[in-house]
Amino acid sequence: MRVLAAGSLRKVWSSLLAHFPQSVDTQFGPAGLLRERIEAGEPCDLFASANVAHPQALLQQGQARSVVPFASNTLCLTVRSNALREGDDWFTLLTRPDLRVATSTAGCDPSGDYTQELFTRMGEAGIAVRERAMALVGGRGSPAVPQGKLAAEWIIQSGQADLFIGYASYAPELRQINGLSVLNIPEPINPRAEYACAVMTPQAENLAEFLQSEKAKAILQQAGFGV
């Protein structure tokens, strides 16, 4: 079975497949770019996306058999620890003009789309943040994040930006890295990322069913995802 899956599922995917009886070959990448590959004719049995829109588009085009939701996520803010000032929170950090803000790439990567929604929910303050924000990963021409590194970790430690907006499922791991601090973004400002898979062939029905099982839910929750 061949699967194309959102990059944010990479770390949890092996734990999930350890409880699935069939052999699965998985390639990871930004979900928007994976969808383009499928639309261009690349063979795929199941497409696991970090949003519902991409699988739904394949369903409407007649390429997918069904769309199955299976997980959720939110956003968090990772910042260079020595940039923090007393009293700083997620909002003051994003609106400080002296800090460089990095994001993933909207359109190519749902993380970038959710971040744009965050800026919209911030109202007038979000307009200036959107103008300053740099899309450094997840795009067609973006450099690959070095193996073994998280995007926020690599971007901040390499000096490309002072803070990064990304998925909250990475927060526990990021909090263990010296020099980085992770701040939560509260509801209802924080967009909810809805993960769904497009079942492309009958062979993938069992995997889609497994992703909705209680066992899969427990593994996803342990990895920082919502279900």
Side-chain angles (χ1 to χ4, degrees):
M1 187 186 310
R2 191 166 191 274
V3 170
L4 297 180
S8 53
L9 293 168
R10 185 188 299 270
K11 287 187 175 291
V12 72
W13 199 250
S14 59
S15 298
L16 288 167
L17 293 187
H19 298 273
F20 185 69
Q22 295 175 244
S23 175
V24 178
D25 173 37
T26 308
Q27 292 191 16
F28 298 94
L33 299 184
L34 295 179
R35 170 190 161 186
E36 291 180 0
R37 287 163 56 179
I38 295 170
E39 290 173 331
E42 184 168 335
C44 174
D45 295 296
L46 183 137
F47 168 43
S49 172
N51 70 2
V52 179
H54 293 318
Q56 192 66 35
L58 295 175
L59 181 67
Q60 291 173 349
Q61 294 167 15
Q63 295 196 57
R65 297 168 57 86
S66 63
V67 173
V68 179
F70 67 94
S72 65
N73 213 334
T74 55
L75 298 177
C76 70
L77 186 68
T78 305
V79 63
R80 181 168 47 81
S81 296
N82 59 12
L84 285 168
R85 299 173 181 169
E86 186 175 354
D88 266 337
D89 61 12
W90 71 275
F91 185 87
T92 60
L93 287 167
L94 281 180
T95 54
R96 272 176 51 185
D98 61 306
L99 297 182
R100 297 165 296 164
V101 180
T103 75
S104 193
T105 305
C108 298
D109 185 351
S111 175
D113 298 325
Y114 294 124
T115 301
Q116 293 299 312
E117 175 62 23
L118 169 67
F119 296 155
T120 298
R121 294 185 182 191
M122 290 175 65
E124 187 174 347
I127 297 173
V129 184
R130 179 182 280 117
E131 291 176 351
R132 290 170 36 232
M134 303 176 291
L136 298 183
V137 292
R140 290 180 183 84
S142 301
V145 177
Q147 188 171 0
K149 293 281 189 179
L150 299 176
E153 172 190 12
W154 173 60
I155 286 170
I156 294 172
Q157 289 185 342
S158 62
Q160 298 177 65
D162 301 297
L163 54 88
F164 181 80
I165 304 168
Y167 288 125
S169 57
Y170 293 119
E173 191 171 354
L174 288 166
R175 288 191 170 103
Q176 302 303 312
I177 300 173
N178 289 335
L180 300 182
S181 297
V182 181
L183 287 80
N184 296 327
I185 301 171
E187 296 182 6
I189 296 293
N190 198 336
R192 181 180 174 87
E194 299 287 353
Y195 285 62
C197 57
V199 179
M200 308 299 295
T201 68
Q203 185 182 4
E205 296 282 358
N206 288 343
L207 179 54
E209 184 177 345
F210 167 71
L211 290 174
Q212 291 188 308
S213 70
E214 293 304 314
K215 183 63 179 178
K217 289 178 181 178
I219 294 169
L220 286 161
Q221 285 181 313
Q222 188 173 14
F225 293 84
V227 295

